[in-house]
Amino acid sequence: MNILVIGGGGREYTLGWKLAQSPKCTKLYAVPGNPGMKKFAVCLEGIDLEDNAALVKAAQQYAVDLVVVGPEVPLTNGVVDAMQAAGIRAFGPSKAAAELEGSKSFSKSMMKKYGIPTAKYEVFTDADAARAYVKEQGAPIVIKADGLAAGKGVTVAQTEDKALAAIHDIMEDQEFGQAGSRVVIEEFMQGEEASLLAFTDGKTIRPMIPSQDHKCVYDGDKGPNTGGMGAYAPAPVMTDALIARAEKEVLQPIVAAMAKEGRPYKGCLYAGLMITDEGPKVVEFNARFGDPETQVVLPLLDSDLVDIMLACVDGTLDEQDIQWSKDTAVCVVMTSGGYPKSYQKGYPITGIEAAEKAGSLVVHAGTAEKDGQIVTNGGRVLGVVAKGTDIRAAVDKAYQGVAKISFQDEFHRRDIAHRALERMQK
Ligand code: AMP
Ligand code: GLY
């Protein structure tokens, strides 16, 4: 069958890389894809990812049998509904279901209504009321823009002043545009985070291997939040007992709740969890695969991703037997210096092939092609992924790959997977 991946970042690279390995995949297309994806996909340029009609037209033109949606914006924009209306199978939640990520206030209200463990919160549309609440609650406290802000709309404020500044930036300076017309203010949760992604067909859920992302830009989890500086899987903080608990207390209830609310959720459901003393609590739901979590989870999937995705679309996930590797995978993200603030683009990249020859999977995230040369074209430029029989082996191999690649102003964290390594030492 012909398959179309929507998106062009590291997550979509990895989705395409895995889908292309399926014997069921005849031809793989990507909109817009990226230069690295050309190894296994035909990249279609010039199509607006927010134009559902144009995306449907492309799917029809290339006789696509399955569409796989990577990023949140097309999902919250209803691309899955548009494909379905045109009779094309599409993996991902409908517009109504993707609200679980698209609106933090909706997501929090669902958790409250259905008793899913999460931080206590209030929603504000008025900056003065928000400030008064912060003064009453005190710090630490968490301020979030309600809508989509590319993972950057959250401030974990250790002081009241930082919280007040975040309210000003989001609501009065509109740093995230319309996404900040409402803020969600949350209780600070203490614990270690983990990402638990699951396949679901709206009834059955199948958790994937738990992973851990590194959201802060600097080593030691310092500095501002980014889209993600690296990841590893499995995350040992998620013991089998905790996975079972998260399945029972979080994943199953939210999928059942969405069905009950007339917004059945199909696709990949991403639960960002805080492992607190009281057990796993939801930090956020995302309506899609995580980036860079996908880069470490899919290399550990032994089963055919096409079969699983079709089962999610068709409602037959209960019949799927999903097999995972016993290995560990690590992804180190190489970024443009300055990210998540401003940075330069267009610098030539060298050493990608050498890293691949040494056994890394080099995932393109923010690259472009200029005069036959791969150049930097985003904040997160590449993800270097390696597998090993344990976390130490995987980390060492990933950093060996990173050492072979260079571009001007390159920056990466040197401590990816530090929590798992510390656990191993204990
Ligand atoms: P989000 O975009 O909601 O995942 O938030 C981004 C990051 O902010 C999370 O990955 C956490 O590290 C942190 N965070 C968000 N909400 C809370 C909370 N209530 N307590 C502590 N940390 C939080
Ligand atoms: N890695 C975090 C996210 O995809 O939202």
Side-chain angles (χ1 to χ4, degrees):
M1 55 174 48
N2 294 337
I3 302 176
L4 169 67
V5 173
I6 296 180
R11 162 185 48 214
E12 290 77 22
Y13 181 106
T14 315
L15 283 164
W17 167 83
K18 184 70 188 172
L19 290 165
Q21 290 169 24
S22 167
K24 293 209 169 66
C25 181
T26 319
K27 199 147 187 195
L28 185 70
Y29 295 93
V31 178
N34 65 42
M37 290 174 75
K38 288 182 185 164
K39 270 180 283 187
F40 46 75
V42 176
C43 296
L44 308 174
E45 275 155 43
I47 300 167
D48 179 359
L49 291 200
E50 294 185 41
D51 184 345
N52 288 341
L55 289 166
V56 168
K57 202 171 138 209
Q60 286 167 333
Q61 184 180 345
Y62 294 98
V64 166
D65 305 289
L66 172 67
V67 175
V68 176
V69 189
E72 58 274 22
V73 171
L75 290 167
T76 53
N77 213 20
V79 71
V80 170
D81 312 62
M83 292 294 171
Q84 270 166 2
I88 301 165
R89 283 150 126 186
F91 177 86
S94 65
K95 180 183 172 114
E99 274 292 282
L100 206 51
E101 169 167 8
S103 165
K104 290 195 191 282
S105 52
F106 169 72
S107 170
K108 293 294 282 191
S109 70
M110 287 293 288
M111 288 186 255
K112 191 183 244 177
K113 182 167 173 189
Y114 290 94
I116 295 165
T118 189
K120 191 180 96 187
Y121 75 105
E122 291 290 337
V123 181
F124 296 93
T125 49
D126 176 71
D128 285 330
R131 279 188 279 263
Y133 181 72
V134 163
K135 285 184 185 143
E136 178 196 310
Q137 296 291 315
I141 194 158
V142 182
I143 315 290
K144 302 186 174 186
D146 182 51
L148 294 178
K152 293 163 211 152
V154 174
T155 301
V156 179
Q158 294 299 337
T159 63
E160 229 174 85
D161 283 347
K162 287 224 168 84
L164 297 176
I167 291 170
H168 175 76
D169 292 348
I170 295 171
M171 301 190 83
E172 289 163 344
D173 275 0
Q174 303 212 316
E175 198 178 333
F176 306 104
Q178 268 302 104
S181 55
R182 257 193 295 199
V183 290
V184 173
I185 304 188
E186 276 184 21
E187 159 201 15
F188 174 77
M189 293 185 286
Q190 188 83 48
E192 188 173 337
E193 277 179 80
S195 304
L196 187 60
L197 282 60
F199 293 108
T200 178
D201 63 358
K203 309 180 293 271
T204 301
I205 56 150
R206 289 272 196 269
M208 301 183 210
I209 298 256
S211 54
Q212 196 170 60
D213 180 15
H214 298 60
K215 288 195 173 137
C216 295
V217 68
Y218 301 128
D219 285 4
D221 301 310
K222 304 256 165 24
N225 265 330
T226 67
M229 297 294 290
Y232 65 96
V237 62
M238 285 302 285
T239 57
D240 288 345
L242 278 171
I243 296 172
R245 209 170 147 186
E247 226 182 303
K248 188 160 154 271
E249 294 175 14
V250 173
L251 294 171
Q252 276 160 359
I254 192 69
V255 167
M258 293 295 282
K260 191 153 173 237
E261 298 280 328
R263 304 172 185 243
Y265 190 103
K266 292 182 175 195
C268 172
L269 175 62
Y270 169 132
L273 301 173
M274 188 72 80
I275 311 308
T276 72
D277 291 343
E278 293 154 38
K281 291 190 184 181
V282 177
V283 178
E284 62 168 348
F285 284 120
N286 289 324
R288 51 171 176 81
F289 284 89
D291 190 341
E293 287 92 333
T294 307
Q295 286 85 313
V296 290
V297 170
L298 290 186
L300 300 177
L301 176 64
D302 285 339
S303 302
D304 187 330
L305 184 58
V306 174
D307 285 339
I308 299 171
M309 288 186 161
L310 290 173
C312 288
V313 175
D314 296 343
T316 55
L317 190 60
D318 59 334
E319 295 165 17
Q320 287 291 312
D321 174 33
I322 302 178
Q323 295 295 330
W324 296 94
S325 156
K326 293 266 177 273
D327 281 348
T328 293
V330 170
C331 171
V332 178
V333 176
M334 302 180 75
T335 68
S336 297
Y339 173 78
K341 301 220 166 69
S342 64
Y343 51 82
Q344 299 291 317
K345 293 181 185 176
Y347 294 132
I349 306 172
T350 57
I352 293 178
E353 269 181 33
E356 285 172 339
K357 276 212 189 90
S360 293
L361 170 68
V362 180
V363 171
H364 289 237
T367 63
E369 216 166 352
K370 203 171 119 196
D371 308 325
Q373 161 100 50
I374 302 291
V375 300
T376 65
N377 192 43
R380 294 192 288 175
V381 177
L382 296 169
V384 180
V385 180
K387 285 201 283 187
T389 48
D390 65 21
I391 186 72
R392 183 77 262 168
V395 165
D396 290 347
K397 199 164 152 200
Y399 279 106
Q400 281 158 18
V402 168
K404 296 200 185 321
I405 298 175
S406 55
F407 52 87
Q408 192 177 324
D409 296 347
E410 188 276 328
F411 178 80
H412 60 268
R413 277 183 63 161
R414 294 176 186 280
D415 67 343
I416 299 303
H418 66 95
R419 288 198 180 79
L421 290 169
E422 284 151 22
R423 256 170 220 277
M424 197 162 108
Q425 265 154 20
K426 271 185 206 155

